[in-house]
Amino acid sequence: MSKKIVLTAVASALVLAGCAGQYGAMSDLDQMTQGIVKVSFQEKGIAKLDRLNQDEVNAACSAAEMFGKDLDASVRKRVEDANMKTIKFPADGKFIGDWKRGESIAQGGRGMTYSDSAGSANGGNCYNCHQISKAEISYGTLGPSLYQYGKLRGDGDAVIKYTWGKLYNAKAYNACTNMPRFGHAGILTEVQMKDLMALLLDPNSPVNK
Amino acid sequence: MRKQIVRSVFLAAGLGLMAGGALAQKTETEKGIDRYRELIADGNPAELWEMQGQELWKKKAGPNQVSLEKCDLGLGAGVVKGAFVSLPRYFADTGKVMDLEGRLAHCMKTIQGIEPKVSTYNRDDHKNIVALVTWIAAESKGMPVNVPQNHPEEKRVYEVGKRAFFYRAGPYDFACATCHAEDNKRIRLQGLPNLLKKEPAGSAYTSWPAYRVSNGELWPMNKRLEDCFRQQRFPELKFSSELSVALSMYMGVNGNGVASLAPTIKR
């Protein structure tokens, strides 16, 4: 109790002095927020409290975005390199699955909330943020349009590896992207990602028609 | 019945859209959504909760057998008009910044002598909280949002709310800001308010409590926030937690000056 009052007093003083939360340094308000986040949630179903922990890239991006700033160049390089190292290419060397299954994964938005059960296949949530095939008009706009993704880029080795990497861990290419790390975070399986690759890159996919 | 009709209309509108040309798609999509909003706005079932809330406010209840009419929502004991648009705020009697839902639970306890069970949405005493906030919100309809930043605690809670808004975590790395920090963004066809800007922040803040056509439920702000975090793949947000209060403060202050809409009707 007395600790809380002290913290409050310190924070209030900082706010009034107008020097709270200088970007780059962890301020008392940042620490206080972390404490408040931790006590304001309870675990439910598959969503345990460890989900509230931030890794380096999430902590750095949260702090920078709050001040409307870009990441410090050295921090950006470090976290992007670290995320790049997590990317695993398919063991069998095959990147392209079935675009029809890929379309169904792209449509699916379920998975990993506390109301979902463990072990069920997760959706890719792709249409929530991207235009993909032309037939689906109910698409979100948080991410860029992926219509004609393969037609515009071809299916060369570099494109295939980049696209796989982007699906597996988008933070390797752009630290503060809003895109989840589907492979790294275990949201999608290798087989599911292959099917999404086909949706984007297979010449027969409606995306490239 | 009403739900079914509304759904059919939306479906019909959707089919019409698909037949439309690709070039006009965005405009047609938006028009379809606007038409749907107009259709459902005519007659909001939230009125049923409003009437119930007004009765509950005046009804003697709890071990002390008194009503809530002496409850101080921040503008003085018993003052309801304008309370919704000026919460959360600092209360000297508790030494804390409180939101409307938390303050009502506090009044049930201190005035009526009830140990309020409010941890589960729409169960036990929380049912009464839902009805009360709907009526209290309606009493401020049209009034400008006026969430205070006078007390140092109010300023501190705003700063915490700002940090919480940008807090990325969970298996999807999502923060509130992932979806709510830019103009004119959508998830599927659902428009996303930019909560950093006055007009959308004020409208969003006062859009709850809302009647939800999709499930027939009445959702106050705490439930809205809890479901946002569910979709962010976070654990469960606790009722009127420090984080809920801080995020409400952040949204409310960002939207100060905007005319209050609640209770509204939502998809």
Side-chain angles (χ1 to χ4, degrees):
Chain A
M1 184 59 176
S2 72
K3 199 173 152 193
K4 204 167 145 184
I5 291 169
V6 171
L7 272 176
T8 302
V10 169
S12 305
L14 282 172
V15 170
L16 293 175
C19 62
Q22 290 300 314
Y23 168 60
M26 182 90 160
S27 75
D28 286 344
L29 277 165
D30 294 334
Q31 281 180 7
M32 196 181 294
T33 303
Q34 295 208 343
I36 287 171
V37 167
K38 299 277 154 67
V39 299
S40 294
F41 289 91
Q42 56 203 1
E43 67 170 54
K44 186 169 181 177
I46 57 172
K48 309 297 181 197
L49 292 178
D50 61 4
R51 290 190 177 191
L52 301 170
N53 301 335
Q54 292 181 310
D55 65 0
E56 190 187 6
V57 67
N58 278 334
C61 292
S62 302
E65 283 164 350
M66 197 188 75
F67 291 101
K69 289 186 178 173
D70 197 2
L71 284 186
D72 181 82
S74 64
V75 175
R76 169 179 289 278
K77 186 169 185 331
R78 188 171 68 242
V79 295
E80 286 178 355
D81 287 351
N83 278 283
M84 190 66 83
K85 283 187 188 130
T86 70
I87 296 173
K88 292 188 186 79
F89 291 117
D92 60 5
K94 293 192 178 104
F95 289 84
I96 309 292
D98 175 344
W99 68 261
K100 284 179 187 151
R101 286 201 310 253
E103 168 68 15
S104 145
I105 294 160
Q107 289 282 358
R110 290 196 180 276
M112 295 188 99
T113 73
Y114 56 65
S115 37
D116 294 307
S117 47
S120 55
N122 300 320
N125 286 280
C126 313
Y127 279 103
N128 280 347
C129 299
H130 298 281
Q131 181 183 33
I132 309 175
S133 75
K134 205 164 192 178
E136 179 54 88
I137 62 151
S138 174
Y139 60 84
T141 57
L142 286 161
S145 171
L146 301 174
Y147 178 57
Q148 302 215 311
Y149 183 92
K151 199 173 181 178
L152 294 169
R153 293 168 181 80
D155 56 358
D157 197 47
V159 171
I160 286 177
K161 284 195 167 142
Y162 165 76
T163 307
W164 180 269
K166 192 89 179 166
L167 281 170
Y168 198 98
N169 188 342
K171 267 99 188 161
Y173 305 88
N174 176 8
C176 298
T177 175
N178 285 333
M179 185 161 152
R181 295 173 278 188
F182 292 101
H184 179 60
I187 301 164
L188 297 175
T189 64
E190 192 176 281
V191 173
Q192 285 179 307
M193 284 190 289
K194 286 181 180 186
D195 293 336
L196 288 176
M197 290 286 285
L199 180 66
L200 292 173
L201 293 163
D202 189 326
N204 295 318
S205 159
V207 169
N208 300 317
K209 291 293 177 190
Chain B
M1 183 59 173
R2 160 181 293 274
K3 222 159 109 175
Q4 233 171 26
I5 293 170
V6 170
R7 277 190 182 156
S8 313
V9 169
F10 194 38
L11 261 180
L15 289 173
L17 289 177
M18 276 179 233
L23 277 173
Q25 183 183 298
K26 200 181 172 196
T27 348
E28 280 305 304
T29 303
E30 282 164 358
K31 276 186 199 159
I33 294 167
D34 287 346
R35 273 200 298 276
Y36 170 70
R37 288 205 179 114
E38 274 171 38
L39 281 163
I40 61 172
D42 184 24
N44 184 348
E47 283 166 25
L48 301 171
W49 277 264
E50 275 178 50
M51 288 191 293
Q52 203 194 342
Q54 186 172 17
E55 279 167 29
L56 283 166
W57 181 257
K58 292 174 180 163
K59 192 180 160 193
K60 293 186 170 94
N64 301 343
Q65 279 302 295
V66 287
S67 76
L68 287 167
E69 288 165 301
K70 290 275 161 64
C71 178
D72 181 358
L73 298 173
L75 303 177
V79 180
V80 172
K81 197 172 168 57
F84 174 74
V85 287
S86 61
L87 285 163
R89 65 161 57 236
Y90 175 78
F91 287 89
D93 58 1
T94 57
K96 285 199 297 199
V97 173
M98 301 170 91
D99 63 359
L100 176 56
E101 294 166 62
R103 187 65 183 175
L104 282 168
H106 171 80
C107 283
M108 285 176 168
K109 188 174 176 176
T110 54
I111 297 174
Q112 297 180 315
I114 296 169
E115 273 302 325
K117 284 190 201 152
V118 289
S119 59
T120 310
Y121 168 74
N122 216 24
R123 279 229 201 115
D124 309 313
D125 300 301
H126 193 267
K127 254 193 164 130
N128 293 348
I129 300 254
V130 172
L132 284 161
V133 296
T134 309
W135 174 63
I136 292 164
E139 289 291 292
S140 289
K141 201 163 196 163
M143 293 176 75
V145 179
N146 185 27
V147 177
Q149 285 286 278
N150 302 319
H151 194 278
E153 269 297 273
E154 292 166 349
K155 291 177 181 167
R156 178 187 72 91
V157 169
Y158 178 86
E159 288 298 320
V160 168
K162 184 177 182 181
R163 280 155 182 79
F165 185 82
F166 287 93
Y167 191 91
R168 288 168 173 248
Y172 286 26
D173 307 322
F174 287 162
C176 307
T178 307
C179 294
H180 293 291
E182 281 185 82
D183 293 340
N184 305 318
K185 295 292 181 185
R186 302 192 318 242
I187 289 179
R188 292 279 185 160
L189 292 180
Q190 177 65 56
L192 301 163
N194 179 353
L195 300 176
L196 305 182
K197 284 199 175 163
K198 178 179 159 178
E199 291 296 332
S203 298
Y205 186 61
T206 62
S207 285
W208 308 90
Y211 175 79
R212 297 199 71 211
V213 176
S214 51
N215 58 14
E217 290 178 343
L218 200 300
W219 281 18
M221 181 54 76
N222 270 276
K223 178 63 183 171
R224 173 63 271 177
L225 291 175
E226 183 218 290
D227 202 62
C228 271
F229 280 115
R230 183 183 68 83
Q231 294 179 81
Q232 270 174 251
R233 274 73 183 176
F234 276 46
E236 187 179 34
L237 185 67
K238 294 181 195 168
F239 171 80
S240 199
S241 60
E242 279 184 81
L243 190 71
S244 323
V245 175
L247 286 168
S248 295
M249 175 66 95
Y250 183 63
M251 252 190 286
V253 170
N254 287 353
N256 269 346
V258 176
S260 183
L261 302 167
T264 68
I265 183 161
K266 294 276 194 180
R267 173 176 61 83

